[in-house]
Amino acid sequence: MDRLWAMQVFVRVVECGSFSRAAESLDIANATVTSSVRNLENYLGVTLLSRNTRSLRLTDDGEGYFEQCNQVLQQIADMEAQVRQKKGEISGQLCIESPAAFARALLCPALPAFTAQHPGLSVALRQTDHAEDLIATGTDVAIRIDSVNDADLVARPLYQAHYVACAAPGLLKRIGTPEQPQALLPQHCLGIFGAGRYIVSDWTFAREGEHHQLTPRGELHFNSTDAIIQAALAEQGVIYVLDVFVNGLIRSGELVELFPDWSTGSRNFYTVTPKSRFVAPRTRAFIEFILATLDAQRRPPSGASIAVRQGRRGLI
């Protein structure tokens, strides 16, 4: 029995809360996970996990062994990463999770340049608007907005995005270009609504003590940033989205920014990694690359607060 591998499988089962999810994250068969844990228990002469058809929990022996396994595996990972970093080696597979709109606007165009810098590296990008469990999915680094769902994750400031009102030149030629937010008609505005209810978000503008709020009343509303941007490009209406998603379109002239001298709301983007004493070289290289790719002036300060919602810990 490969004890180190068996320890890794056992730890992953605990982290994922089930044998099947652990097997999926390790890309091995369920039976392999089951036999590995059983062989480890036979070797130790104790029961590590108490399981039935509906639940899975650590025994008293299992809790102590799990903590020790975590320490040992972390020490090994740190030592290996330090050696690779000293060699300047950036290789293997980097697994990234990102909101779909952020990936489409920034990551997908930038990643070819990143992999060109590191020929021994491959990148797997998961685009999703539903935050996944980084450990269960084997994700090295994720892009998150405003909050993380697990206090055991490390969030690093990446970019502070501001909302911009913008529209296609053809639309503005038809309806006229408003000089200030108060002149913008709600029926020309397309809205975005969040999960659960079809209620569009208001737009806010501020300048030198002036404040203006607008509720979109156009014919189209979406729960997708990608969809609303496509509608704007098709001259269907004015939109209000984070600049990070439309900077390139504004630079190219496909969209025109309105009211650039007015302040709007902002949201912070972060890179998120599992908590560890040492970040793998490939993860560190990616974070440095994406920081360089984005506008450093819009990055939130290092002391910027990030909301942390307590996620599940241990078994479910």
Side-chain angles (χ1 to χ4, degrees):
M1 179 185 65
D2 184 337
R3 277 182 285 170
L4 182 59
W5 169 247
M7 289 166 60
Q8 291 175 315
V9 173
F10 166 65
V11 167
R12 185 55 60 87
V13 169
V14 175
E15 291 173 336
C16 293
S18 80
F19 283 81
S20 59
R21 286 201 293 269
E24 182 179 358
S25 70
L26 293 168
D27 196 24
I28 58 178
N30 288 1
T32 302
V33 172
T34 302
S35 62
S36 180
V37 173
R38 184 182 297 116
N39 291 339
L40 183 61
E41 290 177 323
N42 291 338
Y43 175 80
L44 296 171
V46 298
T47 299
L48 299 173
L49 292 168
S50 175
R51 57 262 199 196
N52 56 39
T53 56
R54 299 181 61 185
S55 65
L56 181 69
R57 67 176 182 84
L58 284 166
T59 64
D60 290 341
D61 289 325
E63 287 187 8
Y65 189 67
F66 173 69
E67 295 297 329
Q68 294 174 8
C69 284
N70 258 331
Q71 294 175 15
V72 170
L73 294 174
Q74 186 60 63
Q75 288 174 355
I76 293 173
D78 289 352
M79 288 187 295
E80 291 176 345
Q82 289 171 7
V83 171
R84 293 192 183 100
Q85 188 178 49
K86 288 179 180 178
K87 291 174 59 181
E89 178 184 339
I90 297 178
S91 60
Q93 184 179 67
L94 176 69
C95 297
I96 305 169
E97 175 200 299
S98 170
F102 188 91
R104 206 177 314 268
L106 287 163
L107 293 186
C108 293
L111 283 176
F114 177 62
T115 55
Q117 293 177 11
H118 308 289
L121 182 69
S122 66
V123 175
L125 173 62
R126 179 200 304 270
Q127 300 182 47
T128 176
D129 293 325
H130 303 285
E132 304 280 354
D133 185 317
L134 267 62
I135 295 175
T137 57
T139 302
D140 297 301
V141 58
I143 307 297
R144 297 281 167 83
I145 306 176
D146 293 336
S147 64
V148 296
N149 58 10
D150 194 326
D152 289 330
L153 300 178
V154 177
R156 298 172 177 84
L158 177 63
Y159 186 84
Q160 187 175 66
H162 293 261
Y163 284 95
V164 295
C166 54
L171 175 71
L172 296 177
K173 186 176 180 179
R174 293 201 311 271
I175 69 173
T177 301
E179 297 298 325
Q180 55 185 357
Q182 293 87 336
L184 182 59
L185 298 179
Q187 59 264 34
H188 291 154
C189 302
L190 311 183
I192 288 184
F193 54 88
R197 303 182 69 185
Y198 294 90
I199 299 177
V200 298
S201 300
D202 290 335
W203 302 3
T204 60
F205 303 90
R207 183 183 66 177
E208 299 177 352
E210 292 183 79
H211 297 274
H212 180 68
Q213 183 170 299
L214 179 151
T215 301
R217 301 296 184 193
E219 295 179 348
L220 296 172
H221 304 298
F222 304 88
N223 71 334
S224 163
T225 301
D226 283 334
I228 201 170
I229 291 172
Q230 291 305 311
L233 291 171
E235 304 182 2
Q236 297 301 303
V238 181
I239 63 173
Y240 181 87
V241 295
L242 292 173
D243 59 9
V244 71
F245 302 133
V246 292
N247 280 338
L249 296 171
I250 291 172
R251 284 194 298 268
S252 68
E254 294 173 82
L255 292 176
V256 176
E257 180 180 357
L258 303 175
F259 327 123
D261 54 343
W262 286 74
S263 298
T264 57
S266 65
R267 299 184 71 182
N268 292 332
F269 285 77
Y270 296 83
T271 57
V272 178
T273 56
K275 186 175 292 185
S276 171
R277 293 189 300 272
F278 192 87
V279 178
R282 60 177 176 267
T283 302
R284 189 183 302 276
F286 169 75
I287 293 174
E288 292 174 354
F289 173 82
I290 199 62
L291 281 171
T293 301
L294 291 164
D295 178 5
Q297 297 304 315
R298 291 288 182 87
R299 196 180 314 156
S302 58
S305 61
I306 178 170
V308 178
R309 298 191 303 273
Q310 181 64 48
R312 67 175 178 83
R313 299 186 63 175
L315 304 180
I316 59 173

